[in-house]
Amino acid sequence: MLSEQFKKDRPYLERKFKTQICNPATGLDNETLKSNLIRLTEELNGEPHELIKAKAFRYVCENLVIDVNPQDFFVCFGCWNRYDRPLSFLMSKWEDEVNKNCLKELKTLEEQNASGSSKMWKDFDHSVPDWEAVLSLGFPGLLERVKTYRRKCEADGKMGLDEKAYYEGLEITYAAILKMLDRFHLYALEHSDGNQRVKAVAACLDSLRKGAPSNIFEALQLIYLFFIFGEHIDRFQVRSLGNLDRMLYPYFQHDIAEGRYTEKEIRDFFAYFMMQWASIDNYWGHPFYFGGSKANGETEINDLSYLILDVYDQLDIPTPKLQIKIAANTPVKFIDKALDMIRRGHSSIVFLSENAIRRALLGQGCTEEEARTCVISGCYEFIPQGRGNGTCAGHINMLKPIELLFHNGRDPKTGISCGIKTGELSEFKTFDEFYKAYIQQLEHIIESVLKCANDFEKYLHRINPAQVYSGTIENSLKTAKDAFHNGSVYNISGILNAGFANAVDALMVIKDFVFEKHEVNLAEFRDILQANWQGHEKLRLKILNSKNKFGNGIESVDSFAEGLALFLANKINMRPNSRNGFFAASMHSARQFIELGEKTGASPDGRLAGEEISKNASPVMGMDKNGVTALIKSVTKIDSALFPGDFPLDVMMHPATVQGNEGLNAMRSLLKTYMDKHGIAIHFNIFDANVLLDAQKHPEKYEGLQVRVCGWNVRFNDIAKREQDEYIKRALSIKE
Amino acid sequence: MSTEGIVFEIKRFAVHDGPGIRTTLFLKGCPLRCLWCHNPESISPHPQLAYYAHKCINCGECVSVCPEHAHAISLEKLHYFERRKCRSCGKCETACLGNALQLYGMRMTVQETLNAALEDRDFFGDDGGVTLSGGEPLLQADFCFEILTALKRQAIHTALDTCGQVKWKTMSMILNCTDIFLFDFKAANPQKHHKLTGSDNRQILENLQKLSDAGAEIEIRMPLIPALNDSDEDIHEAGKILSNLHIKSIKILPYHNMARSKYDALGMANKIPASSSQDNVNSLHAVEILRNYGLEIN
C-alpha cells in the first residue's frame, strides 16, 4: 500500500514539473537566466562548441533556482519545463548553422519530409548512460575518470585541439554538477528547519558530492539527478532509467540486512521516485526496465522487482513506462502480475524476448555477453550497455512508393518530384512489373534517407555535444570522441518505417483487383484515389472486405510480406553510417504512423487520404479479422533478426477474452508463443469499444483511462478526437 | 476423412472452452430448445442465412447475385428479404458490402475441418487443444468421432461441449478420444428441465452418471438464468446430484441477453429473459451453495 504521507504529498509531486515552484531567492528567474546565457555564449563565440556548451551548462548550474522541499525526497531544479529547457537555444542556433553551412543534401531532406516519403530529423532523444559506471563511481568518480583519461591522452601524445576541447568540456560539465550538488546540500542544511526529511536529503546529497551512493535512497537520488542534468540541462533525452531491479538489488539487500531502511520506507522511495516522471509527463513516456538473465542462467527477477512493480501498479500512471525482458527462466508469478496489471488498464508495459534480442544483436556482431546485458531503451530498442548508441535517423513511409508510382515519381499533393520516373501506368502489363516499380520507388526513398542521414549525422556533435552522457561511456573517454556521435563501440543509426502492412495490403489489392479480376485498371484506380474514393464507395467496401490482408495467417500474403521485409532490411542493415557505425532496420513506427499518414493520399487498400497508416509489425487497424493467433503467425513469418532496430507487435483484445484465470493463462501462452517464434516486443491494448465511446462522451468519468499508442501510453482524455476515433474504430472490430 | 459435417463457426484463440488456448468448432443442430439459448443459429441442423438489418447499406449486391430472388430493394431504399425463398447458398453473403448478411453453417469434410482446427497448433502449448461445441455436436456423431480420433492420433488435447441429450451409445463411441467433457447442467428437476428446454433430463443424467462411472474428466457448466433455474432450491438439488459424481469442476455461466439481435437476424422469435445487475450476485450465491457440497467451482 502507498503510505499516508505519500498520499498527502502526491498533489505537490504532481505539480512539481508543471509549474515553477522553486525559491526565487536561490537564483535567477528563467528569463534572466536565458538572456544571460545568450550573452555569455555570444561572448564565447569562436571557441569550440564543447567549451561553449560546458560553460553555459556551468552557468545554469550556478544560477538556476533550486529547492529542497519537505514534501519530497528528491531535490527540485528550476528548469522544470522540458519544452523550454535553458540550453535549447544553443542547439537550435548550431543546427541552423549546420543546415546553412554544412549540409549537402538539405534540399533532398526537405523534399522528402515535405512530401511524406520519409521523415528525418537530428535525433538527440535516445541516449542511455552507462548506469553501472554512474552508480559505481558517482559524480566525483566520473570526473576523476575523465581526468585520468585526459592525462593518458596527453602521455600518449595524442592531445590535439579536438581532444583538448572534448576533455575540457567534460571536466567543466562534471565540476559544475558537483558544484550544484554543493548548492543543493547547503540549501538543505540551511532550510531544514528541523524537518527530518530535508535533513535526510541533505545527508544524501553530502554523500553524493563526495562519492558513489552507498544505499538505495542515494542510488535513486543519483539516478534522478543524472537524469535532470542529462535531459533537462544538457538536453539529451535519457531514454532508460536502467535495469532498476538488477542495479538496485544489492543496495536493497544491504539496506534491509543492516536495518537502514524498512521495506515500507523503500516502497515510499520508489513511489516518490516514479512520481518525478509522472509529473514530468513526457508524452513519449520514460522507460525503466526489468528482468533478463544472469550469466549463470538464473533470472534477474528478484524481491525488489516485485516490490517496484507493485508500487508502480498502485500509482496507476502512464509514465514512467516499463519494459520487461522475458526469458525461459522469468517466473510465471511475475509475468502474471504484469499481465494482470495490463488487463486492468495499467498497461504502460511492453514485453521483450531476451532470446530474440540475442539473435538480433549477434547478427550485428555483438558478443553473447553484450546481448545478455543489453539495455532496453526508448520504446523497445536495445543496445549493448555502455557500449552502444542508437539514433532514430529516419522513418520511411512504405505506402508512399505506391502513390509515387501512380504519378510517375511525383507526389500528387505537394507536386514534389521526390520519386523516380518508373513509367506511365499503361506500361505495367503484369503485377510483377508493377511490383518491380514499387521496389524501385522504395529503394529510391531508402537511398535518399541513408544519404541524408549520413549528411546530417556527421554534425551531431557540432550541434549538441553530449557531455553529461559521454562522461559515462568508457570508449568515448578512451577515444576522446563524443559518445553520441562516434565515440561508442556501436554507433548505430536506426531507420524506422510506417505503413508496412498498408503497403502489403495495397499491393495485394492491385494484384487481385487490377491484374487478376480486372475490376478496375490502373488509370481508373489513380483517378479513384485522387478523388479520395468519392463515387466509388462500393469498390472501396469490396476492397476492405477482401480477404488478402496482412495479419490473417494467409500463407500467400504472409510470404509476400516476408519478401518485402527482406528487401527493406537488406537495403539498410550493416550499411556504414557517417558516425563510424552502421545502419539498422527497424519495424518501429514511433508517431510517424499518424504524421506520415496525414501526408499520404488515399491508397489502394481502401484507406482514405490522410488516415493513419499501420504501425510497427502490426496489421492495418481492423484488417486482422482472424484473431490474435493468426496475427502472430503472420507477423512472425518475418524473421525479427532482420530488424535489429526493433520488432514490435501491438495486440488488441476485448476484456472478456482475458478475464479470469483462463484469460490470464491465455495471455501468458500467447506471449510465450510469440517469443518462441522469435517475436521481439509485444504489448497489449485491452479495451471495450463501449467503454471508449462512453469515455469520449463523459471524459470526467474516465480520468485514469490509458491507451497504448506505439511504445508509450497516453491518457485517453489527452488525445485528439480524431485519434480517439481511430481507437474506437479498432475496438469495434475486436471480437470477444 | 471425406465425411461431411455442418460447421457454423470456427473460433480461434478460444480461452473459455476448456483448458489453455483452443480452437472451438461449433457444429449445427441441437435437440434442446432452451428458452435462453444464446446461439440460436446453432439450433437448426441446416445452414441458415442471417440478415442484420442495422448493418445493411442498401448496396443491392445481394439482389444481383441471388438465384432465388429472395432479396429486393425498394425505391425507398428499403431491403426486403423473403426467407422462405432462401436456399442458403451463401452467394449474397460473399457479395454483401456492409457485412449485413451472414450464412451460419458451412458444409466441411473432416479433413477440411481438421486443417482449420490445427491452424493454431503452435499456440495450444501443453494444455490447449480443440473443442467441439454446438448446438449439440453429437447430433453429427460420425463427423465428431472422425475428428476427435484424428486429433488424438496427433496427440492434440480434445474437449467436447455437450448438452448430454443423445443416446448413450453415441456418447460412449467418442469416450476414448475425448479428454474432457464440458457437460451442461440446466436443471435437476425433470419437469423443470422439460419446461426450460423442451425435454426432460432422464437421458442426460444417465449419460452423466455413466461418464462419471467410466472415469471421464468432466467439467459441469451451469448457465444461471434469472428466475428460471437460479433459486436456492434449484442449486441445492443440483449440488446433491453432482456431489455424488466424479466431477473435476463446475463452471457457473452468468446470463447475458446479448443474443437478441441474432434472433431477429435469423427471423426467429425469442423468449429470452431480461438480465439484471442482480445476476452477478446470484452467481456468487450459487457458488457458495455448491461449495458447501464439496464441489470445486471455477
mmCIF file of all heavy atoms in Angstrom, chain B residues 218-247:
data_model
loop_
_atom_site.group_PDB
_atom_site.id
_atom_site.type_symbol
_atom_site.label_atom_id
_atom_site.label_comp_id
_atom_site.label_asym_id
_atom_site.label_seq_id
_atom_site.Cartn_x
_atom_site.Cartn_y
_atom_site.Cartn_z
ATOM 1 N N ILE B 218 -14.742 -34.557 -16.298
ATOM 2 C CA ILE B 218 -15.972 -33.805 -16.573
ATOM 3 C C ILE B 218 -15.920 -32.427 -15.927
ATOM 4 O O ILE B 218 -15.590 -32.302 -14.741
ATOM 5 C CB ILE B 218 -17.216 -34.544 -16.003
ATOM 6 C CG1 ILE B 218 -17.287 -35.970 -16.564
ATOM 7 C CG2 ILE B 218 -18.502 -33.779 -16.314
ATOM 8 C CD1 ILE B 218 -18.292 -36.861 -15.842
ATOM 9 N N GLU B 219 -16.205 -31.432 -16.741
ATOM 10 C CA GLU B 219 -16.438 -30.097 -16.174
ATOM 11 C C GLU B 219 -17.908 -29.782 -16.399
ATOM 12 O O GLU B 219 -18.396 -29.816 -17.525
ATOM 13 C CB GLU B 219 -15.576 -29.036 -16.861
ATOM 14 C CG GLU B 219 -15.869 -27.634 -16.344
ATOM 15 C CD GLU B 219 -15.051 -26.540 -17.033
ATOM 16 O OE1 GLU B 219 -13.825 -26.478 -16.784
ATOM 17 O OE2 GLU B 219 -15.630 -25.776 -17.823
ATOM 18 N N ILE B 220 -18.610 -29.498 -15.311
ATOM 19 C CA ILE B 220 -20.030 -29.163 -15.426
ATOM 20 C C ILE B 220 -20.176 -27.675 -15.726
ATOM 21 O O ILE B 220 -19.480 -26.852 -15.142
ATOM 22 C CB ILE B 220 -20.765 -29.500 -14.099
ATOM 23 C CG1 ILE B 220 -20.759 -31.007 -13.865
ATOM 24 C CG2 ILE B 220 -22.185 -28.934 -14.089
ATOM 25 C CD1 ILE B 220 -21.614 -31.805 -14.826
ATOM 26 N N ARG B 221 -21.063 -27.354 -16.645
ATOM 27 C CA ARG B 221 -21.304 -25.940 -16.968
ATOM 28 C C ARG B 221 -22.753 -25.611 -16.652
ATOM 29 O O ARG B 221 -23.656 -26.215 -17.214
ATOM 30 C CB ARG B 221 -21.020 -25.681 -18.432
ATOM 31 C CG ARG B 221 -19.684 -26.271 -18.835
ATOM 32 C CD ARG B 221 -19.205 -25.695 -20.119
ATOM 33 N NE ARG B 221 -17.836 -25.277 -19.924
ATOM 34 C CZ ARG B 221 -17.224 -24.349 -20.629
ATOM 35 N NH1 ARG B 221 -17.868 -23.723 -21.574
ATOM 36 N NH2 ARG B 221 -15.966 -24.041 -20.392
ATOM 37 N N MET B 222 -22.930 -24.703 -15.726
ATOM 38 C CA MET B 222 -24.284 -24.352 -15.293
ATOM 39 C C MET B 222 -24.633 -22.930 -15.701
ATOM 40 O O MET B 222 -24.140 -21.983 -15.102
ATOM 41 C CB MET B 222 -24.390 -24.456 -13.771
ATOM 42 C CG MET B 222 -24.365 -25.875 -13.266
ATOM 43 S SD MET B 222 -24.503 -25.917 -11.457
ATOM 44 C CE MET B 222 -26.169 -25.389 -11.215
ATOM 45 N N PRO B 223 -25.495 -22.796 -16.713
ATOM 46 C CA PRO B 223 -25.965 -21.448 -17.013
ATOM 47 C C PRO B 223 -26.989 -21.042 -15.958
ATOM 48 O O PRO B 223 -27.903 -21.815 -15.671
ATOM 49 C CB PRO B 223 -26.607 -21.587 -18.393
ATOM 50 C CG PRO B 223 -26.962 -23.036 -18.517
ATOM 51 C CD PRO B 223 -26.093 -23.814 -17.589
ATOM 52 N N LEU B 224 -26.807 -19.895 -15.346
ATOM 53 C CA LEU B 224 -27.768 -19.430 -14.337
ATOM 54 C C LEU B 224 -28.672 -18.386 -14.954
ATOM 55 O O LEU B 224 -28.231 -17.306 -15.321
ATOM 56 C CB LEU B 224 -27.027 -18.807 -13.151
ATOM 57 C CG LEU B 224 -26.482 -19.736 -12.083
ATOM 58 C CD1 LEU B 224 -26.218 -18.947 -10.816
ATOM 59 C CD2 LEU B 224 -27.416 -20.905 -11.799
ATOM 60 N N ILE B 225 -29.964 -18.757 -15.076
ATOM 61 C CA ILE B 225 -30.885 -17.849 -15.747
ATOM 62 C C ILE B 225 -31.820 -17.258 -14.703
ATOM 63 O O ILE B 225 -32.492 -18.005 -13.979
ATOM 64 C CB ILE B 225 -31.714 -18.595 -16.822
ATOM 65 C CG1 ILE B 225 -30.825 -19.542 -17.632
ATOM 66 C CG2 ILE B 225 -32.451 -17.600 -17.717
ATOM 67 C CD1 ILE B 225 -29.685 -18.900 -18.370
ATOM 68 N N PRO B 226 -31.842 -15.942 -14.609
ATOM 69 C CA PRO B 226 -32.623 -15.308 -13.550
ATOM 70 C C PRO B 226 -34.077 -15.792 -13.520
ATOM 71 O O PRO B 226 -34.729 -15.824 -14.568
ATOM 72 C CB PRO B 226 -32.542 -13.811 -13.874
ATOM 73 C CG PRO B 226 -31.842 -13.698 -15.182
ATOM 74 C CD PRO B 226 -31.183 -14.978 -15.477
ATOM 75 N N ALA B 227 -34.497 -16.196 -12.368
ATOM 76 C CA ALA B 227 -35.880 -16.617 -12.097
ATOM 77 C C ALA B 227 -36.262 -17.950 -12.754
ATOM 78 O O ALA B 227 -37.350 -18.461 -12.541
ATOM 79 C CB ALA B 227 -36.878 -15.538 -12.490
ATOM 80 N N LEU B 228 -35.392 -18.523 -13.562
ATOM 81 C CA LEU B 228 -35.743 -19.795 -14.200
ATOM 82 C C LEU B 228 -35.084 -20.988 -13.503
ATOM 83 O O LEU B 228 -35.725 -21.993 -13.239
ATOM 84 C CB LEU B 228 -35.360 -19.786 -15.684
ATOM 85 C CG LEU B 228 -36.108 -18.791 -16.585
ATOM 86 C CD1 LEU B 228 -35.726 -18.992 -18.038
ATOM 87 C CD2 LEU B 228 -37.628 -18.941 -16.423
ATOM 88 N N ASN B 229 -33.786 -20.877 -13.247
ATOM 89 C CA ASN B 229 -33.109 -22.027 -12.633
ATOM 90 C C ASN B 229 -32.105 -21.606 -11.572
ATOM 91 O O ASN B 229 -31.128 -22.307 -11.334
ATOM 92 C CB ASN B 229 -32.434 -22.893 -13.709
ATOM 93 C CG ASN B 229 -31.260 -22.169 -14.364
ATOM 94 O OD1 ASN B 229 -31.037 -20.985 -14.105
ATOM 95 N ND2 ASN B 229 -30.514 -22.884 -15.194
ATOM 96 N N ASP B 230 -32.325 -20.435 -10.975
ATOM 97 C CA ASP B 230 -31.305 -19.951 -10.035
ATOM 98 C C ASP B 230 -31.816 -19.834 -8.600
ATOM 99 O O ASP B 230 -31.208 -19.157 -7.787
ATOM 100 C CB ASP B 230 -30.727 -18.605 -10.518
ATOM 101 C CG ASP B 230 -31.741 -17.477 -10.485
ATOM 102 O OD1 ASP B 230 -32.966 -17.780 -10.412
ATOM 103 O OD2 ASP B 230 -31.335 -16.308 -10.547
ATOM 104 N N SER B 231 -32.949 -20.524 -8.301
ATOM 105 C CA SER B 231 -33.420 -20.449 -6.916
ATOM 106 C C SER B 231 -32.513 -21.310 -6.024
ATOM 107 O O SER B 231 -31.807 -22.192 -6.520
ATOM 108 C CB SER B 231 -34.858 -20.955 -6.826
ATOM 109 O OG SER B 231 -34.856 -22.369 -7.007
ATOM 110 N N ASP B 232 -32.545 -21.042 -4.734
ATOM 111 C CA ASP B 232 -31.741 -21.837 -3.799
ATOM 112 C C ASP B 232 -32.071 -23.318 -3.956
ATOM 113 O O ASP B 232 -31.179 -24.173 -3.928
ATOM 114 C CB ASP B 232 -32.018 -21.400 -2.357
ATOM 115 C CG ASP B 232 -31.295 -20.098 -2.035
ATOM 116 O OD1 ASP B 232 -30.742 -19.489 -2.990
ATOM 117 O OD2 ASP B 232 -31.276 -19.702 -0.851
ATOM 118 N N GLU B 233 -33.370 -23.606 -4.143
ATOM 119 C CA GLU B 233 -33.794 -24.998 -4.268
ATOM 120 C C GLU B 233 -33.145 -25.644 -5.496
ATOM 121 O O GLU B 233 -32.635 -26.761 -5.432
ATOM 122 C CB GLU B 233 -35.327 -25.027 -4.390
ATOM 123 C CG GLU B 233 -35.922 -26.392 -4.174
ATOM 124 C CD GLU B 233 -37.410 -26.407 -4.526
ATOM 125 O OE1 GLU B 233 -38.030 -25.322 -4.591
ATOM 126 O OE2 GLU B 233 -37.933 -27.507 -4.760
ATOM 127 N N ASP B 234 -33.156 -24.908 -6.614
ATOM 128 C CA ASP B 234 -32.526 -25.411 -7.847
ATOM 129 C C ASP B 234 -31.063 -25.774 -7.595
ATOM 130 O O ASP B 234 -30.586 -26.831 -8.000
ATOM 131 C CB ASP B 234 -32.567 -24.343 -8.956
ATOM 132 C CG ASP B 234 -33.979 -24.112 -9.486
ATOM 133 O OD1 ASP B 234 -34.726 -25.100 -9.594
ATOM 134 O OD2 ASP B 234 -34.312 -22.951 -9.792
ATOM 135 N N ILE B 235 -30.389 -24.884 -6.930
ATOM 136 C CA ILE B 235 -28.940 -25.070 -6.755
ATOM 137 C C ILE B 235 -28.677 -26.220 -5.785
ATOM 138 O O ILE B 235 -27.778 -27.038 -5.991
ATOM 139 C CB ILE B 235 -28.272 -23.764 -6.239
ATOM 140 C CG1 ILE B 235 -28.667 -22.563 -7.107
ATOM 141 C CG2 ILE B 235 -26.755 -23.906 -6.194
ATOM 142 C CD1 ILE B 235 -28.219 -22.580 -8.542
ATOM 143 N N HIS B 236 -29.506 -26.298 -4.727
ATOM 144 C CA HIS B 236 -29.334 -27.401 -3.769
ATOM 145 C C HIS B 236 -29.562 -28.747 -4.456
ATOM 146 O O HIS B 236 -28.788 -29.690 -4.257
ATOM 147 C CB HIS B 236 -30.293 -27.240 -2.584
ATOM 148 C CG HIS B 236 -29.768 -26.287 -1.547
ATOM 149 N ND1 HIS B 236 -28.680 -26.591 -0.748
ATOM 150 C CD2 HIS B 236 -30.168 -25.040 -1.186
ATOM 151 C CE1 HIS B 236 -28.436 -25.570 0.062
ATOM 152 N NE2 HIS B 236 -29.320 -24.610 -0.189
ATOM 153 N N GLU B 237 -30.605 -28.824 -5.271
ATOM 154 C CA GLU B 237 -30.877 -30.091 -5.975
ATOM 155 C C GLU B 237 -29.705 -30.468 -6.874
ATOM 156 O O GLU B 237 -29.296 -31.627 -6.937
ATOM 157 C CB GLU B 237 -32.155 -29.965 -6.814
ATOM 158 C CG GLU B 237 -33.432 -30.071 -5.995
ATOM 159 C CD GLU B 237 -34.656 -30.064 -6.910
ATOM 160 O OE1 GLU B 237 -34.814 -31.006 -7.702
ATOM 161 O OE2 GLU B 237 -35.422 -29.094 -6.849
ATOM 162 N N ALA B 238 -29.183 -29.472 -7.559
ATOM 163 C CA ALA B 238 -28.024 -29.725 -8.448
ATOM 164 C C ALA B 238 -26.840 -30.207 -7.621
ATOM 165 O O ALA B 238 -26.167 -31.186 -7.977
ATOM 166 C CB ALA B 238 -27.654 -28.449 -9.196
ATOM 167 N N GLY B 239 -26.615 -29.514 -6.503
ATOM 168 C CA GLY B 239 -25.489 -29.871 -5.633
ATOM 169 C C GLY B 239 -25.575 -31.315 -5.177
ATOM 170 O O GLY B 239 -24.571 -32.031 -5.145
ATOM 171 N N LYS B 240 -26.808 -31.753 -4.826
ATOM 172 C CA LYS B 240 -26.979 -33.131 -4.333
ATOM 173 C C LYS B 240 -26.584 -34.136 -5.407
ATOM 174 O O LYS B 240 -25.873 -35.103 -5.150
ATOM 175 C CB LYS B 240 -28.449 -33.361 -3.935
ATOM 176 C CG LYS B 240 -28.752 -32.923 -2.520
ATOM 177 C CD LYS B 240 -30.233 -33.124 -2.201
ATOM 178 C CE LYS B 240 -30.691 -32.051 -1.235
ATOM 179 N NZ LYS B 240 -32.112 -31.797 -1.282
ATOM 180 N N ILE B 241 -27.060 -33.894 -6.630
ATOM 181 C CA ILE B 241 -26.747 -34.842 -7.722
ATOM 182 C C ILE B 241 -25.259 -34.825 -8.036
ATOM 183 O O ILE B 241 -24.599 -35.859 -8.115
ATOM 184 C CB ILE B 241 -27.562 -34.484 -8.993
ATOM 185 C CG1 ILE B 241 -29.047 -34.704 -8.733
ATOM 186 C CG2 ILE B 241 -27.075 -35.292 -10.193
ATOM 187 C CD1 ILE B 241 -29.951 -34.284 -9.874
ATOM 188 N N LEU B 242 -24.728 -33.628 -8.193
ATOM 189 C CA LEU B 242 -23.347 -33.514 -8.656
ATOM 190 C C LEU B 242 -22.345 -34.013 -7.631
ATOM 191 O O LEU B 242 -21.287 -34.549 -7.984
ATOM 192 C CB LEU B 242 -23.040 -32.065 -9.051
ATOM 193 C CG LEU B 242 -23.866 -31.545 -10.245
ATOM 194 C CD1 LEU B 242 -23.632 -30.053 -10.453
ATOM 195 C CD2 LEU B 242 -23.523 -32.322 -11.519
ATOM 196 N N SER B 243 -22.687 -33.847 -6.351
ATOM 197 C CA SER B 243 -21.708 -34.262 -5.337
ATOM 198 C C SER B 243 -21.575 -35.778 -5.277
ATOM 199 O O SER B 243 -20.631 -36.300 -4.680
ATOM 200 C CB SER B 243 -22.088 -33.685 -3.964
ATOM 201 O OG SER B 243 -23.382 -34.119 -3.625
ATOM 202 N N ASN B 244 -22.512 -36.501 -5.892
ATOM 203 C CA ASN B 244 -22.381 -37.960 -5.929
ATOM 204 C C ASN B 244 -21.633 -38.457 -7.161
ATOM 205 O O ASN B 244 -21.527 -39.663 -7.378
ATOM 206 C CB ASN B 244 -23.769 -38.614 -5.896
ATOM 207 C CG ASN B 244 -24.346 -38.540 -4.496
ATOM 208 O OD1 ASN B 244 -23.617 -38.747 -3.520
ATOM 209 N ND2 ASN B 244 -25.616 -38.201 -4.396
ATOM 210 N N LEU B 245 -21.185 -37.526 -7.980
ATOM 211 C CA LEU B 245 -20.477 -37.921 -9.213
ATOM 212 C C LEU B 245 -19.009 -37.534 -9.116
ATOM 213 O O LEU B 245 -18.615 -36.754 -8.252
ATOM 214 C CB LEU B 245 -21.109 -37.207 -10.411
ATOM 215 C CG LEU B 245 -22.588 -37.526 -10.693
ATOM 216 C CD1 LEU B 245 -23.151 -36.524 -11.686
ATOM 217 C CD2 LEU B 245 -22.737 -38.943 -11.220
ATOM 218 N N HIS B 246 -18.197 -38.081 -10.044
ATOM 219 C CA HIS B 246 -16.784 -37.656 -10.099
ATOM 220 C C HIS B 246 -16.679 -36.481 -11.064
ATOM 221 O O HIS B 246 -16.591 -36.668 -12.272
ATOM 222 C CB HIS B 246 -15.903 -38.803 -10.576
ATOM 223 C CG HIS B 246 -15.956 -39.977 -9.655
ATOM 224 N ND1 HIS B 246 -15.420 -39.943 -8.397
ATOM 225 C CD2 HIS B 246 -16.515 -41.196 -9.798
ATOM 226 C CE1 HIS B 246 -15.638 -41.102 -7.790
ATOM 227 N NE2 HIS B 246 -16.309 -41.880 -8.625
ATOM 228 N N ILE B 247 -16.733 -35.290 -10.479
ATOM 229 C CA ILE B 247 -16.716 -34.079 -11.290
ATOM 230 C C ILE B 247 -15.412 -33.344 -11.025
ATOM 231 O O ILE B 247 -15.024 -33.162 -9.875
ATOM 232 C CB ILE B 247 -17.879 -33.147 -10.871
ATOM 233 C CG1 ILE B 247 -19.229 -33.860 -10.999
ATOM 234 C CG2 ILE B 247 -17.862 -31.849 -11.654
ATOM 235 C CD1 ILE B 247 -19.638 -34.149 -12.390
#
